[in-house]
């Protein structure tokens, strides 16, 4: 017997020596295979102790030294079971590492030794290792009887009560029989007195039986007699405590990952019996073995078959192992899983994560010590310090406590207000920035803890209690005593904290303290807290010199004075006593599950008050370390979850204390994420496929867990349904999941169970199948299909596959029908209306996240066969990271391939390729290669026979698979690409071409997609190879792939064909350029132009030729840019060869010149030229402003004008109604259109269209109702139109029409009123005795009346003064023999019914010999209108209706002569008319140019009414 097994036997024997001395413990053996190793024992122990949802390391056993370690053993089953489970657990821990390290040769030796021992110990009678024990229990409490038994073959245990078999179905809920891991138990719930009896367990196998008995005594408590009840009464139900419920956990929460600031819920479903709404089960939640209580950060709910814990505001403080504990009648039902909380995205890139676990200690009146744990800095810069913030409870304002970052994870906060409550938080700082704040601490109230210690309770007369203060026992004390025990409670390099005991006696007066410090042994004391009135026996000191030692003493002070000084402290120096811990020791990583790894390490040699550890992982090929935990973990072993299956990682560990993080440990050895090796779980789904009366064909489904190793064996057992004895069916291992069981008796019922085996050994057996009758199948229809499996499961589709029925019926199977139903539903729907002949079906249209079950029915000529057993539920959801098959062509070899990268893989996984879902292997047509996670199927000679659907399945995974259909078009495309790769050419991005360079050089070039340094090439011109020379330079660039030849002198001799031949390794190519004829002429012309351009640019020249743009005020600017100029360079503008001289000469040194053309119109068309010249040369540029250029300028002006156009404005004139649109500039060359009611309006006598530089207008002459409606103007530019509108209807038209009529009447009156047309002078100077004649021409319709005045007195015709008015036109006043009395102010009033005019003339008479007097200013005053206007040069044509002559001639007119009557013109007589009175051709002067009035006394319409121009808006 191996040594480690002998130790186990001795240990168990000592535990049970008193009651089971005759039993010895032997190793568990397997009857199936001699190759089973010691790993079987450990695998079974693993299965017994493993948690179903999360693999907890086996050593997480609760101990006194390590309460955080999780692995509890149920104790409610009794001491015996606890001891055995503990031993199994210990065996697993003791051998796990040893078994993993055994070499293959040693394992073979142990297997051979074990085979001999198993043969010696085979065929044993049943034997009880742990016998039943008697129990005495109270009524209504449960009791559990259990025993352990061994034997070979494995015994069957049956239970009896008083010799009668116990049947759990006879009293549902009363009895519960269990058999797990070799422990058999009978549970009796809610015992009653009648349950008192002798119970026995009978173990039986093929070699005999054994019995163990025990007595159960049920007692009734005093007063617990059954009360009498009348018939029909309902018995009284006692209260049901939550711990008396039977609870079975179903769906359990798994390992969970959350992010700071988010919320997460841990949910566990269960079945509760009895399920009473008013009696919910008792659920308790733990984090790291600490009981959680409901609060705002942890919301708990239980009821309705669900227990949940919601963490609404995640922080790293919430990370840890969460346990749900449900109290049941049998003890507890528990489940645990780890919650990981990662850092939220930092506010500043590169900033550290937030600190955590903020707690306050040593709370006093004005002082508290805040401590926290540092964050992990995996890839961020190291933490340089921390800031501590405080906030009063109820406030939202945080204040920073420390000015400079603190380098340790403790900080003494002082200066608090006594009795106030505070919260604290911490922020970390590094070179990148400040972290997010931590979660705030619990509320802390600043109170003196010594106050409660001063209270004493005194009993009076042994009954009454009186609370008194120590002050009352001190008597009357004024001065306090000195403090005692002054010492440093915290010593760091940043600060020290002084602590002392309050004085005794202290007195009743309020007390405070004074601190003094002194350099050690100097004797010079200095007060420390000068600005702080210290009330607590704690004080942090920051301002100490490095390297100095100090002593401190304390005084107690109250209102009466100060105490004596305390005893000085010992010399104290601020230093960091410990520093960070040393690096952890060796890190070992071992396999755990397919997505987790178990990591252990040695603790650091110098822990220095260790807080915990941070574990980091690095994936193979990556440079970024990944934090595995975000809160310091206290133990030296950790399960790292969330890893990529099949990926390789290394791990490192850092220790953490108050000073920060240690150096990193050495990295672990690389490990691939694979499940730990164990025996497989049990097969399931045993079904019968065929029966011929003496044999049955049975099939089963693979175990859900293969144990990390390929399943290589199945073992089948059978028994008669009425027997307890199981018999082996096969002694040799079966590798397929189908087996023919022979030598059966027809008519009998049989049960079967299956065990699976792998490298670790044989797993637990399956549950017995349902009894199957051995009866020959004779039906004509086929039997059931079997082995339903799924592939390519995605969010909305999957592929179901199955195997053909073993029993085909009376004829061959012709097809299959597939039925589907949602999980939990019995309503199956047939997916294919017609049976499919192949054994697979692609199912689509699924709901993502929904689970489905399937059945398959075979069809033959006789009809529809039996349905297969329902499949396991499959969820329509793709695996995380799922990838599809990639079809492509190898760039190096040209091979056509299908490639698949698995998102998950295990050590035993294989890639199974299929075509049309029929497995295929390497053959002449295809070859399959696998490397790591990638498998590649390569076609050797692809053709049409290779068309079809290809699929791949990765075994020993959770269904990693994919498929791809190769179509004919895709194959043809890939064949073409394959040919190009196998017959390579140098791929060209650009074939041979040319470009003209500066100076007239010509560059011939091509560009390849890729070149290697080994490339070679030749340039051939007209069948002659050319080489590089001074006149033609040949070169190439590998990086860009450019090959070029530059010809400096491109002449007529260069015409011809240019070719480049390229060789690059095996690839080659050739490209040509034919440069002849017109193409060559164009190239030669361009080259000559570039040469001339180069020469031109040696002197002053135009870098940009003439162009135009239009400014915002619609001024057209002709601009150009000059280069290589100097101050002496001359610049000139020309239009049509005529020089344009500007007011300001162009400044050539500015680099640009401009010619403004304001108010641009058609007259500005022409050829503009600009020249620049100096002693180095001359250059010019022409710009033809006509044709399209002219149109472009007008369009640019129209764009600005149209954008600036105002809304239409209505203006009335005597001629009609005018609509006006103001804009920045208007010219008739602009494309402007007027519209009336959407109809375009053309200019006419009725509708006149015109404009000025500031506006466009349209006048409606003599408007009528027909002109009512919507009017609009449209200004078109090159791209859009600008429209403005006005609605001339309704009241707007009425008002405008009335104003038009008024203005028309006023204009008519102005036209026909009486007026003086001309002839009168302003001033007349005349000598006495001369004759004076004042004659003028008047006009009016009707003929006006004329009246003369002298000094405002009417003048009548007389001998001295004769007044005449002839022909209704000529009015005159003649004075014969002028005297001095005739001097004065004369005036004429011409008037008719429409109005008139009043004109004044000043007459001055002087005597002979006197100087001619100058006219005085007062005498020259005139009316508002200018009276000195000259007569019209050409009288206007007569009006349509000439004015009729007056019916009654003026009586004062005696002479019709209109000529002036200066009979003797002498120098002395100086009448000063501006011009002689003309002889009008028409009796009616034109109304368009009337003579302005000199003095208008009658109302006259204003002149602006003729051409009104309203102000612009």
């Amino acid at each position: 017997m191996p040594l480690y097994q002998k130790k186990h036997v001795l240990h168990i024997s000592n535990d049970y020596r008193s009651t089971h001395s005759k039993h010895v413990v032997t190793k568990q053996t397997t009857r199936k295979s001699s190759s089973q190793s010691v790993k079987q024992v450990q695998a079974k122990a693993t299965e017994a102790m493993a948690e179903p949802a999360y693999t907890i390391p086996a050593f997480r056993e609760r101990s006194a030294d390590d309460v955080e370690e999780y692995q509890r053993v149920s104790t409610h089953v009794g001491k015996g079971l606890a001891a055995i489970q503990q031993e199994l657990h210990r065996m697993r821990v003791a051998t796990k590492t040893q078994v993993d390290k055994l070499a293959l040769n040693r394992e073979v030796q142990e297997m051979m030794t074990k085979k001999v021992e198993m043969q010696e110990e085979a065929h044993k009678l049943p034997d009880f290792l742990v016998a039943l024990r008697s129990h005495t229990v109270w009524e209504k409490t449960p009791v559990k009887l259990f025993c352990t038994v061994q034997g070979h073959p494995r015994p069957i245990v049956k239970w009896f009560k008083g010799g009668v078999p116990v049947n759990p179905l006879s009293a549902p809920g009363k009895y519960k029989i269990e058999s797990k891991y070799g422990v058999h138990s009978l549970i009796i719930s809610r015992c009653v007195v009648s349950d008192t009896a002798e119970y026995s367990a009978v173990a039986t196998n093929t070699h005999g039986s054994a019995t163990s008995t025990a007595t159960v005594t049920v007692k009734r408590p005093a007063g617990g007699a059954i009360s009498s009840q009348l018939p029909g009464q309902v018995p009284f139900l006692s209260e049901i405590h939550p711990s008396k419920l039977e609870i079975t956990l179903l769906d359990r929460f798994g390992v969970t990952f959350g992010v700071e600031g988010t919320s997460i819920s841990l949910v566990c479903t269960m079945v509760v019996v009895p399920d009473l709404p008013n009696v919910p089960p008792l659920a308790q939640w733990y984090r790291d073995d600490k009981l959680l209580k409901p609060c705002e950060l942890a919301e708990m709910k239980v009821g309705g078959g669900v227990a949940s814990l919601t963490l609404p505001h995640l922080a790293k403080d919430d990370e840890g192992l969460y346990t749900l504990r449900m109290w049941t009648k049998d003890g507890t039902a528990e489940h645990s899983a780890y919650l990981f909380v990662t850092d939220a995205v930092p506010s500043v890139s590169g900033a550290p994560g937030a600190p955590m676990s903020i707690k306050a200690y040593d709370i006093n009146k004005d002082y508290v010590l805040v401590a926290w744990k540092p964050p992990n800095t995996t890839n961020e810069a190291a933490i340089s310090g921390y800031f501590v913030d405080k906030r009063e409870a109820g406030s939202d304002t945080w204040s920073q406590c420390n000015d400079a970052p603190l380098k340790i994870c403790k900080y003494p906060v002082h200066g608090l207000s006594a009795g106030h409550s505070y919260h604290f938080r911490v922020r970390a700082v590094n070179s990148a920035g400040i972290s997010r704040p931590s979660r705030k601490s619990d509320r802390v109230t600043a109170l003196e803890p010594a106050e409660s210690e001063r209270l004493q309770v005194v009993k009076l007369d042994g009954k009454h209690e009186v609370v008194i203060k120590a002050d009352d026992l001190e008597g009357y004390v004024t001065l306090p005593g000195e403090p005692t025990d002054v010492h440093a409670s915290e010593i760091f390099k940043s600060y020290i904290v002084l602590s002392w005991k309050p004085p005794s006696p202290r007195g009743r007066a309020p007390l405070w303290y004074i601190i003094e410090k002194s350099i050690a042994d100097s004797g010079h004391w200095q007060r420390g807290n000068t600005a702080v009135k210290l009330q607590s026996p704690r004080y942090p000191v920051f301002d100490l010199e490095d390297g100095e030692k100090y002593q401190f003493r304390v005084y107690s002070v109250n209102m009466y004075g100060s105490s004596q000084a305390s005893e000085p402290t010992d010399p104290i120096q601020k230093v960091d006593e410990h520093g960070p811990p040393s690096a952890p020791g060796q890190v070992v990583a071992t396999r755990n599950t397919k997505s987790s790894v178990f990591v252990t390490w040695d603790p650091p040699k110098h822990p220095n008050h260790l807080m915990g550890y941070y574990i980091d992982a690095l994936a193979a090929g990556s440079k970024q370390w990944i934090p595995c935990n975000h809160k310091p973990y206290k133990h030296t072993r950790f399960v790292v979850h969330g890893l990529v299956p099949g990926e390789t990682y290394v791990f490192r560990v850092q220790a953490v204390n108050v000073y920060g993080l240690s150096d990193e440990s050495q990295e672990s050895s690389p490990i691939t994420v694979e499940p730990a090796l164990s025996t497989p779980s049990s097969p399931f789904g045993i079904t019968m496929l065929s029966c011929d009366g003496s044999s049955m064909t049975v099939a089963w489904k693979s175990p859900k867990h293969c144990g990390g190793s390929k399943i290589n064996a199945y073992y089948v057992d059978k028994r008669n349904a009425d027997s307890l004895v199981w018999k082996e069916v096969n002694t040799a291992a079966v590798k397929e999941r189908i087996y023919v069981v022979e030598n059966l008796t027809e008519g009998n019922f049989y049960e079967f169970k299956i065990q699976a085996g792998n490298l670790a050994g044989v797993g637990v057996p399956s549950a017995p199948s349902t009894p199957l009758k051995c009866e020959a199948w004779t039906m004509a229809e086929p039997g059931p299909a079997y082995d339903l499996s799924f592939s390519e499961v995605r969010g909305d589709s999957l592929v179901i596959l199955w195997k053909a029925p073993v029993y085909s019926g009376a004829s061959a199977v012709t097809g299959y029908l597939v039925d589907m139903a949602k999980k939990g539903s019995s309503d199956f729907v047939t997916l294919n209306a017609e049976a499919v002949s192949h054994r697979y079906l692609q199912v689509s249209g699924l709901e993502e996240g929904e689970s489905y079950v399937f059945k398959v029915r075979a069809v033959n000529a006789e009809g529809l066969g039996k349905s297969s057993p329902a499949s396991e539920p499959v969820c329509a959801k793709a695996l995380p990271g799922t990838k599809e098959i990639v079809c492509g062509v190898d760039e190096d070899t040209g091979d056509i391939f299908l490639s698949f990268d698995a998102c998950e893989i295990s050590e035993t996984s294989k890639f199974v390729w299929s075509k049309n879902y029929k497995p295929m292997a390497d053959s002449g047509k295809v070859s399959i290669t696998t490397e790591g996670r990638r498998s590649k199927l390569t076609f050797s000679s692809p053709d049409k026979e290779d068309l079809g659907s290809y699929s791949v399945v990765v075994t020993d995974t959770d269904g990693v698979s994919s498929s791809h259909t190769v179509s004919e078009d895709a194959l043809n495309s890939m064949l073409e690409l394959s040919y190009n790769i196998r017959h390579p050419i140098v791929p060209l991005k650009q074939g041979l071409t040319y470009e003209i360079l500066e100076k007239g050089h010509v560059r011939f070039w091509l560009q390849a997609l890729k070149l290697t340094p080994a490339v070679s090439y030749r340039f051939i011109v007209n069948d002659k190879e050319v080489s590089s020379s001074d006149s033609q330079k040949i070169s190439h660039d590998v990086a860009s792939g450019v090959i070029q030849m530059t010809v400096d002198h491109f002449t007529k001799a260069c015409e011809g064909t240019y070719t480049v031949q390229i060789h690059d390794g095996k690839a080659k190519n050739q490209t040509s350029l034919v440069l002849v004829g017109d193409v060559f002429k164009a190239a030669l012309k361009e080259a000559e132009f570039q040469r001339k351009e180069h020469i031109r640019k040696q002197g002053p020249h135009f870098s940009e030729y003439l162009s135009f743009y239009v400014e915002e005020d619609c001024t057209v600017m002709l601009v150009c840019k000059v280069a290589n100029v100097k101050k002496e360079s001359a610049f000139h503008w020309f239009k049509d060869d005529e020089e344009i001289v500007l007011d300001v000469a162009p400044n050539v040194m500015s680099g640009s010149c401009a010619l403004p053309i304001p108010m641009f119109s058609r007259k500005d068309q022409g050829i503009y030229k600009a020249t620049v010249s100096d002693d180095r040369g001359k250059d010019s540029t022409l710009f033809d402003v006509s044709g399209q250029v002219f149109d472009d300028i007008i369009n640019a002006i129209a764009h600005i004008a149209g954008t600036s156009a105002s809304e239409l404005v209505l203006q009335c004139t005597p001629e009609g109604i005018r609509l006006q649109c103001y804009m920045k500039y208007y010219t008739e060359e602009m494309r402007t259109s007027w519209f009336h009611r959407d109809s375009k309006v053309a200019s006419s006598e009725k509708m006149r269209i015109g404009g000025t530089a500031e506006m466009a207008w349209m006048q409606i002459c003599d408007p009528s109702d027909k002109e009512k409606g919507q009017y609009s103007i449209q200004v078109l530019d090159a791209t859009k139109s600008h429209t403005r509108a006005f609605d001339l209807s309704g009241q707007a038209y009425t008002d405008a029409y009335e104003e038009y009529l008024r203005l028309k009447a006023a204009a008519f009156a102005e036209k026909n009123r009486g007026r003086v047309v001309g002839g009168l002078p302003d001033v007349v100077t005349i000598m006495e005795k001369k004759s004076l004649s004042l004659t003028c021409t008047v006009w009016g319709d009707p003929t006006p009346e004329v009246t003369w005045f002298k000094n405002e007195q009417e003048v009548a015709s007389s001998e001295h003064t004769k007044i005449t008015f002839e022909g209704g036109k000529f009015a005159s006043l003649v004075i014969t023999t002028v005297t001095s009395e005739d001097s004065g102010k004369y005036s004429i009033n011409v008037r008719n019914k429409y109005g008139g005019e009043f004109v004044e003339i000043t007459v001055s008479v002087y005597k002979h010999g006197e100087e001619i007097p100058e006219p005085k200013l007062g005498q020259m005053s005139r009316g508002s209108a200018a009276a000195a206007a000259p007569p019209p040069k050409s009288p206007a044509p007569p009006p349509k209706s000439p004015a009729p002559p007056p019916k009654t001639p003026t009586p004062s007119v005696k002479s019709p002569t209109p000529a002036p009557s200066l009979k003797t013109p002498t120098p002395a007589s100086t009448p000063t008319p501006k011009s002689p009175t003309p002889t009008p051709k028409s009796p009616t002067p034109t109304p368009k140019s009337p003579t302005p009035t000199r003095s208008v006394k009658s109302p006259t319409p204003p002149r602006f009414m003729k051409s009104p121009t309203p102000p612009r808006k």
Side-chain angles (χ1 to χ4, degrees), residues 344-354 377 380-381 428-436:
V345 178
S347 55
V348 178
S349 178
T377 53
E380 300 83 7
V429 184
N430 68 1
S431 58
I434 302 178
S435 73
R436 295 161 56 95

Side-chain angles (χ1 to χ4, degrees), residues 1392-1459:
N1392 63 10
K1393 65 178 181 178
Y1394 296 113
E1397 188 176 32
F1398 195 85
V1399 180
E1400 295 180 344
I1401 308 98
T1402 301
V1403 177
S1404 296
V1405 180
Y1406 65 95
K1407 294 181 180 180
H1408 181 71
E1410 293 181 355
E1411 291 184 3
I1412 300 175
E1414 292 292 333
K1416 298 180 180 180
L1417 294 177
Q1419 295 173 333
M1420 296 180 65
S1421 62
R1422 291 291 178 263
S1424 58
K1433 294 181 181 179
S1434 58
K1440 294 179 181 180
S1441 301
K1447 295 179 180 180
T1448 306
T1450 306
S1452 61
V1453 177
K1454 295 182 179 180
S1455 173
T1457 305

Side-chain angles (χ1 to χ4, degrees), residues 383-397:
I383 292 176
S384 57
Y386 301 90
F387 286 116
V388 179
D389 303 331
K390 68 179 179 181
R391 186 189 78 183
E392 285 202 36
S395 171
D396 294 330
T397 304

Side-chain angles (χ1 to χ4, degrees), residues 1169-1314:
K1169 180 172 72 171
T1171 63
V1172 60
S1173 61
D1174 58 21
D1175 56 356
R1176 296 169 297 167
K1178 179 180 179 181
D1179 196 12
S1180 63
T1181 173
L1182 297 176
F1183 192 64
D1184 186 359
V1185 181
S1186 62
Q1188 185 60 45
V1189 175
F1190 179 81
D1191 294 340
D1192 293 341
I1193 296 175
I1194 291 298
N1195 284 331
I1197 294 174
H1199 176 75
I1200 298 174
T1203 304
S1204 67
S1206 68
E1207 295 298 328
L1208 287 180
V1209 177
L1210 185 146
Q1211 181 65 50
C1212 295
T1213 67
E1215 290 82 13
I1217 299 173
R1218 178 178 292 184
L1219 297 175
Q1220 300 174 161
C1221 180
Y1222 293 91
M1223 55 192 71
K1224 287 187 176 180
Y1225 178 64
Y1226 173 77
T1227 178
E1228 64 181 5
E1229 286 80 9
M1230 291 165 48
R1231 292 183 295 166
T1232 306
S1233 301
W1234 288 87
F1235 294 88
H1236 177 218
R1237 297 175 184 171
D1238 297 331
S1239 297
K1240 189 172 181 180
V1241 177
S1243 183
S1244 62
E1245 287 296 326
K1246 185 69 174 179
M1247 297 285 191
R1248 296 179 185 173
I1249 296 175
T1252 65
E1254 294 183 348
M1255 69 173 176
W1257 54 261
M1258 182 185 73
Q1259 180 160 298
I1260 307 169
C1261 299
D1262 193 14
S1264 63
D1265 288 347
K1266 292 189 298 181
E1267 280 73 47
K1268 290 182 181 180
Q1270 180 88 8
Y1271 287 85
S1272 62
I1273 183 175
Q1274 186 182 72
V1275 180
L1276 296 175
D1277 60 25
T1279 58
K1280 60 185 294 187
S1281 64
H1282 310 270
T1283 304
R1284 304 293 185 267
F1286 186 85
D1287 187 5
L1288 187 59
S1289 61
Q1291 189 63 38
Y1293 175 81
T1294 302
D1295 295 343
Y1297 188 74
E1298 291 177 355
E1299 177 66 10
Y1300 154 69
L1301 293 179
R1302 186 187 70 79
L1303 293 177
K1304 181 178 180 182
F1308 184 80
E1310 172 68 15
K1311 173 183 176 182
N1312 295 302
R1313 69 178 177 84

Side-chain angles (χ1 to χ4, degrees), residues 723-736:
S723 172
L724 298 176
V725 180
W726 288 94
K727 295 181 180 180
E728 300 177 9
V729 173
N730 60 314
T731 55
V734 176
K735 295 187 177 181
E736 300 296 329

